[in-house]
Amino acid sequence: MPQDHFHRFDPKFGEQGGQLTYNTYLRIPQLLDQQHPESEPEAHDELLFIVIHQAYELWFKLMLHELDDARDRMLAGETYLPRVRLDRCKAIMKVLVSQVDVIDSMTPQDFLEFRNRLAPASGFQSVQFREIEFLSGLKDPGYLDRFRGLTEPERARLATRLEQPSLWDGYLAIMRSVGFDTTDYDRRISALRRIAGDRESYGPLWDLAEALVDHDQALSLWRARHVLMAERQIGTKPGTGGSAGGAYLRSRVELRCYPELWELRSAL
């Protein structure tokens, strides 16, 4: 009988040795020791605020893991697994958007009890989210100069992201591998029109392009939901990091990672 078959039905499977537990594998004690409110006396909703944003950073870590693999596989000429990775990120982004509902359960008055303690910390300083944007194609070298409190390792990570190929570079690599010319805008749009018009021949390429659009759309929906959350909490006040708050967030809603895939719609 195969070993895995035995383990499936052995009531004691997993107990051999007794070294690994749920708590030790997931490092639950260390994880639950990472929430330290700054308010004194502690504001009731500060724990909510901390947990939500730490959860975002964990999801961002997973997204980078998935997007890096998608990009690398596209550079290697693959189409199937990159789409799978992007589909997973789309599902993650839905969770990120829905988590804002939990923040909305906090009233502006409750937020004001501890908001002043946050300055100059700000979501603007999320290195992982900027990595996601850079990897997705929204590369902004000026961000490294505008970032307050950037450590040298963080600066190096972002600088590396600026130099590395993006997901769009990966997609263009696949287009070239099947014979399309991607040297300029007109040739790329012509190639994309051909892909869109002959899905029987280029189905995997079209599906992957749509997965990139899904990823782009999910990021835009997250930005839009974030704007509403910020305006609901602080109105037109500046952000804790010194940004223009809601006005800054609103200015980024229309950003597109893959503008040529959106412009393709007008060319069909």
Side-chain angles (χ1 to χ4, degrees):
M1 182 178 294
Q3 188 74 9
D4 62 339
H5 182 83
F6 172 78
H7 284 164
R8 191 176 304 137
F9 297 102
D10 180 7
K12 294 185 178 181
F13 172 61
E15 297 179 7
Q16 293 87 351
Q19 298 300 310
L20 191 64
T21 68
Y22 177 87
N23 281 348
T24 57
Y25 178 62
L26 297 178
R27 303 195 177 194
I28 299 299
Q30 296 92 326
L31 180 65
L32 298 182
D33 190 41
Q34 299 307 307
Q35 297 76 43
H36 302 282
E38 293 287 332
S39 55
E40 183 61 44
E42 181 181 328
H44 179 81
D45 281 2
E46 190 174 1
L47 179 61
L48 175 152
F49 189 85
I50 292 171
V51 168
I52 284 290
H53 287 82
Q54 287 182 344
Y56 277 134
E57 292 296 329
L58 288 173
W59 286 122
F60 292 162
K61 180 175 183 177
L62 180 57
M63 283 186 67
L64 286 168
H65 177 67
E66 302 296 339
L67 294 175
D68 273 332
D69 192 67
R71 186 269 320 275
D72 292 345
R73 289 180 181 277
M74 283 193 286
L75 290 172
E78 295 184 42
T79 58
Y80 173 72
L81 282 177
R83 182 176 58 78
V84 171
R85 305 294 186 247
L86 287 163
D87 285 347
R88 178 174 292 168
C89 287
K90 178 183 176 181
I92 293 171
M93 288 301 300
K94 287 182 179 179
V95 173
L96 297 185
V97 171
S98 67
Q99 280 186 182
V100 180
D101 292 342
V102 183
I103 300 180
D104 279 348
S105 71
M106 176 177 62
T107 67
Q109 301 94 313
D110 292 333
F111 187 32
L112 285 173
E113 288 187 25
F114 63 91
R115 182 175 184 256
N116 287 341
R117 292 277 188 167
L118 305 181
S122 166
F124 180 81
Q125 297 169 328
S126 172
V127 173
Q128 289 196 118
F129 186 73
R130 296 304 167 182
E131 286 189 83
I132 290 171
E133 288 195 327
F134 289 1
L135 177 55
S136 299
L138 292 177
K139 295 186 178 183
D140 180 4
Y143 178 78
L144 275 68
D145 298 323
R146 298 192 302 273
F147 199 121
R148 296 183 182 181
L150 193 66
T151 66
E152 284 309 311
E154 289 170 338
R155 183 178 296 276
R157 278 168 54 190
L158 290 173
T160 298
R161 290 290 182 189
L162 288 172
E163 295 297 324
Q164 288 178 337
S166 67
L167 289 161
W168 180 240
D169 293 322
Y171 187 75
L172 293 180
I174 291 179
M175 290 175 65
R176 289 192 295 270
S177 72
V178 297
F180 288 114
D181 187 346
T182 64
T183 53
D184 58 38
Y185 173 82
D186 289 338
R187 289 183 173 86
R188 289 193 296 272
I189 290 295
S190 176
L192 289 170
R193 289 183 63 185
R194 185 175 173 189
I195 291 169
D198 188 1
R199 286 174 288 176
E200 184 173 345
S201 299
Y202 301 109
L205 269 176
W206 172 254
D207 290 344
L208 186 53
E210 287 294 273
L212 288 171
V213 171
D214 281 342
H215 174 61
D216 206 351
Q217 180 173 280
L219 287 174
S220 185
L221 290 171
W222 152 248
R223 293 189 200 97
R225 187 66 181 88
H226 196 189
V227 167
L228 291 174
M229 178 270 291
E231 291 180 346
R232 178 169 177 163
Q233 293 294 336
I234 66 173
T236 59
K237 295 175 185 175
T240 50
S243 73
Y248 166 76
L249 294 172
R250 191 169 291 282
S251 72
R252 298 184 64 80
V253 170
E254 298 302 321
L255 291 175
R256 295 292 180 265
C257 302
Y258 318 109
E260 293 176 18
L261 294 180
W262 293 95
E263 292 161 15
L264 170 65
R265 272 71 184 161
S266 300
L268 293 178

